[in-house]
């Protein structure tokens, strides 16, 4: 891999220690791929892990209210839509805490 540094107007060749090389056979030919140090630091997606766990529990017959990513299987209840519109109109929109809204978690626990 060769990068071009426009500020110094020269080519930069990263040290070979910054990548891992893989060889695999495809169509009878050996192909070489490199995986950068940055790519090696990427961790498993928490969302995909949650989806996998929810699917496994659902297969075991566990009652699941899955709040992970993905498309909903049903339409949103009209009350939820009306309440969301009202909240959006206030302009007070914030991110939720990473572990969820305490009152919502309690309501879900009571529901299940």
């Amino acid at each position: 891999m060769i990068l071009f540094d426009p500020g110094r107007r020269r080519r930069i060749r990263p040290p070979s220690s910054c990548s891992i090389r893989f060889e695999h056979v495809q169509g009878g030919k050996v192909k070489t791929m490199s995986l950068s140090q940055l790519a090696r630091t990427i961790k498993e997606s928490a969302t995909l892990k949650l989806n996998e766990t929810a699917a496994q529990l659902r297969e075991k017959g566990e009652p699941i209210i899955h709040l992970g990513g993905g498309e909903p299987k049903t339409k949103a209840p009209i009350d939820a839509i009306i309440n969301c519109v009202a909240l959006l109109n206030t302009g007070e929109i914030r991110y939720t805490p990473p572990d969820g809204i305490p009152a919502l978690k309690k309501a879900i626990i009571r529901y299940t």
Side-chain angles (χ1 to χ4, degrees):
M1 171 173 61
I2 297 176
L3 304 174
F4 182 72
D5 178 0
R8 295 185 176 169
R9 299 187 181 276
R10 65 186 179 100
R11 290 182 193 202
I12 301 170
R13 185 178 303 272
S16 60
S17 62
C18 77
S19 65
I20 296 175
R21 301 206 181 278
F22 297 93
E23 289 188 355
H24 68 281
V25 178
Q26 182 178 358
K29 296 181 182 179
V30 175
K31 302 269 183 170
T32 302
M33 301 184 322
S34 295
L35 186 62
S36 71
Q37 284 182 329
L38 179 62
R40 285 186 273 148
T41 65
I42 297 172
K43 303 290 184 222
E44 178 181 22
S45 163
T47 303
L48 293 178
K49 180 66 176 169
L50 180 63
N51 289 344
E52 180 183 337
T53 302
Q56 290 170 348
L57 291 172
R58 192 176 294 117
E59 285 175 12
K60 292 179 181 178
E62 297 285 336
I64 298 295
I65 298 177
H66 180 43
L67 301 176
E71 292 292 322
K73 294 184 176 27
T74 60
K75 291 183 179 182
I78 191 68
D79 290 346
I81 294 170
I82 291 169
N83 287 325
C84 286
V85 169
L87 181 60
L88 288 170
N89 285 331
T90 69
E92 291 296 318
I93 308 301
R94 304 274 186 258
Y95 286 110
T96 59
D99 64 337
I101 301 167
L104 178 59
K105 292 191 317 186
K106 288 178 185 175
I108 290 170
I109 291 167
R110 281 192 307 270
Y111 178 79
T112 58

